[in-house]
Amino acid sequence: MTEERLHHITDDQHRIGIHYWPAADNDSRGVLVWLHGMAEHGGRYGALAEHLNAQGWHLYCPDHRGHGLSISESCPKGHYGDNDGWQRVVDDACEVLAWAQARHPRLPCVLGGHSMGSFIALGAAEQAGESLAGLVLCGSDYNPAIYYRMMQLPIRMVRLKNGKRGTSGLLRKMTFGTWAKQVPEPATDFDWLSADPDQVQQYIDDDLCGFDCSTETWFQLSQGLRKVHSVAQLSELPETLPVLLVGGEADPMSHMGKGMMALESVMHAMEQPVEAHFWPEGRHEILNDCCRDEVHQVMAEWLQKRVTTA
């Protein structure tokens, strides 16, 4: 298995870095474009690539603006950009998706993402879902609009105080800090990510993980969440688009899995074809947790159905 590093220049001349793990040409069955979470990067998905490559799936993991290979002067670490950041990262996902489809025109293409990446993937699917064979949302969440409006109040305050590119200890305490406190007897501040101490240490040792995002990125994310989870936007998903939800019931970010279960209920109510799998001991990064082999297998089996029905 070999990782290649590619790039794509967007319509606004931003350079997106892309981690690519190709499947063998004579065994290609499909394409998965995977979007990483907040304060991490696409290069962390090699284990997923190894499993899916063996099943004939190409894996593309672009780095979002302000993350990994996509850090730049206009998008420094943790910063989507000074203006329209949410729409730009959603448009980036749509551009990479179209680019990957052009590279593999005869293969089914699935879009997926973890955590923040799942929200961006949902937004992209609402915008360009007709071209997709499926959508995978991992470690995701769902809350009513009032929740996001309340979230924006302290974000607006610290953005005004610290500037769009500034960071905030208050926002870290409200998010990463709050989630860390929900893990019994944590050894580190990041045990809420995984019950596997080796995986947690790899995250801590990675200079491109665990950093504070800008106040503007938090503001844009809160706006994006309110938008993609609205009934109006969820109605934009193609009615026959298959959706796979995977998450942990010990994930503090998703209210111990209740957020993903709420999303499943909403999608069922809207008659979206949805399949959900939750792991009782799984924390936030189930792809790097003790249940990861089971998660990989569930994803591979679900992706195989996208080949037979494409």
Side-chain angles (χ1 to χ4, degrees), residues 151-277:
M151 179 193 294
Q152 286 186 336
L153 294 176
I155 296 175
R156 287 178 185 274
M157 179 182 70
V158 296
R159 185 179 64 161
L160 180 62
K161 178 182 178 182
N162 300 345
K164 289 185 175 183
R165 296 194 179 197
T167 58
S168 166
L170 174 63
L171 295 183
R172 170 174 279 269
K173 183 178 180 180
M174 289 173 56
T175 54
F176 286 37
T178 297
W179 303 329
K181 291 180 180 178
Q182 296 179 51
V183 175
E185 300 181 1
T188 77
D189 291 340
F190 293 101
D191 282 20
W192 62 276
L193 293 173
S194 172
D196 184 334
D198 291 338
Q199 292 293 327
V200 173
Q201 193 59 49
Q202 287 180 36
Y203 180 93
I204 292 171
D205 292 342
D206 192 330
D207 291 339
L208 294 175
C209 290
F211 51 85
D212 288 330
C213 286
S214 70
T215 62
E216 179 65 14
T217 290
W218 278 111
F219 180 74
Q220 290 291 325
L221 178 59
S222 65
Q223 283 196 319
L225 285 165
R226 182 179 172 186
K227 180 179 180 180
V228 300
H229 286 158
S230 69
V231 172
Q233 284 301 115
L234 286 170
S235 298
E236 293 298 317
L237 289 173
E239 61 183 16
T240 60
L241 178 67
V243 179
L244 173 66
L245 303 180
V246 289
E249 294 180 25
D251 176 7
M253 194 283 290
S254 188
H255 312 288
M256 299 306 179
K258 294 181 178 64
M260 286 209 73
M261 294 174 190
L263 180 58
E264 178 191 12
S265 296
V266 169
M267 287 190 165
H268 273 307
M270 299 182 71
E271 300 185 345
Q272 194 73 37
V274 59
E275 179 179 325
H277 296 264

Side-chain angles (χ1 to χ4, degrees), residues 293-307:
D293 290 343
E294 295 177 24
V295 181
H296 288 164
Q297 187 59 34
V298 164
M299 288 180 60
E301 291 175 359
W302 185 86
L303 288 170
Q304 174 60 25
K305 298 174 186 175
R306 312 287 72 81
V307 175

Side-chain angles (χ1 to χ4, degrees), residues 13-14 65-66 70-76 79-82 165:
Q13 301 305 302
H14 172 68
R65 296 180 187 229
S70 299
I71 293 173
S72 67
E73 183 177 347
S74 61
C75 301
H79 188 61
Y80 285 163
D82 294 337
R165 296 194 179 197

Side-chain angles (χ1 to χ4, degrees), residues 31-143:
V31 175
L32 175 62
V33 175
W34 189 261
L35 308 180
H36 67 79
M38 175 178 271
E40 60 148 344
H41 57 91
R44 300 181 67 231
Y45 291 87
L48 176 64
E50 183 175 9
H51 190 85
L52 296 186
N53 283 171
Q55 308 295 322
W57 282 76
H58 301 277
L59 181 65
Y60 290 88
C61 294
D63 285 339
H64 305 302
R65 296 180 187 229
H67 293 74
L69 303 175
S70 299
I71 293 173
S72 67
E73 183 177 347
S74 61
C75 301
K77 186 184 286 188
H79 188 61
Y80 285 163
D82 294 337
N83 298 292
D84 302 319
W86 174 257
Q87 190 57 54
R88 290 185 188 277
V89 293
V90 170
D91 288 345
D92 289 348
C94 291
E95 286 196 36
V96 171
L97 184 66
W99 175 80
Q101 289 170 320
R103 287 170 61 93
H104 310 276
R106 289 180 290 276
L107 296 179
C109 189
V110 171
L111 178 63
H114 165 70
S115 193
M116 180 184 75
S118 75
F119 307 137
I120 297 172
L122 179 58
E126 291 167 350
Q127 190 168 303
E130 294 294 345
S131 66
L132 293 174
L135 175 67
V136 183
L137 305 178
C138 171
S140 198
D141 196 18
Y142 176 84
N143 291 285

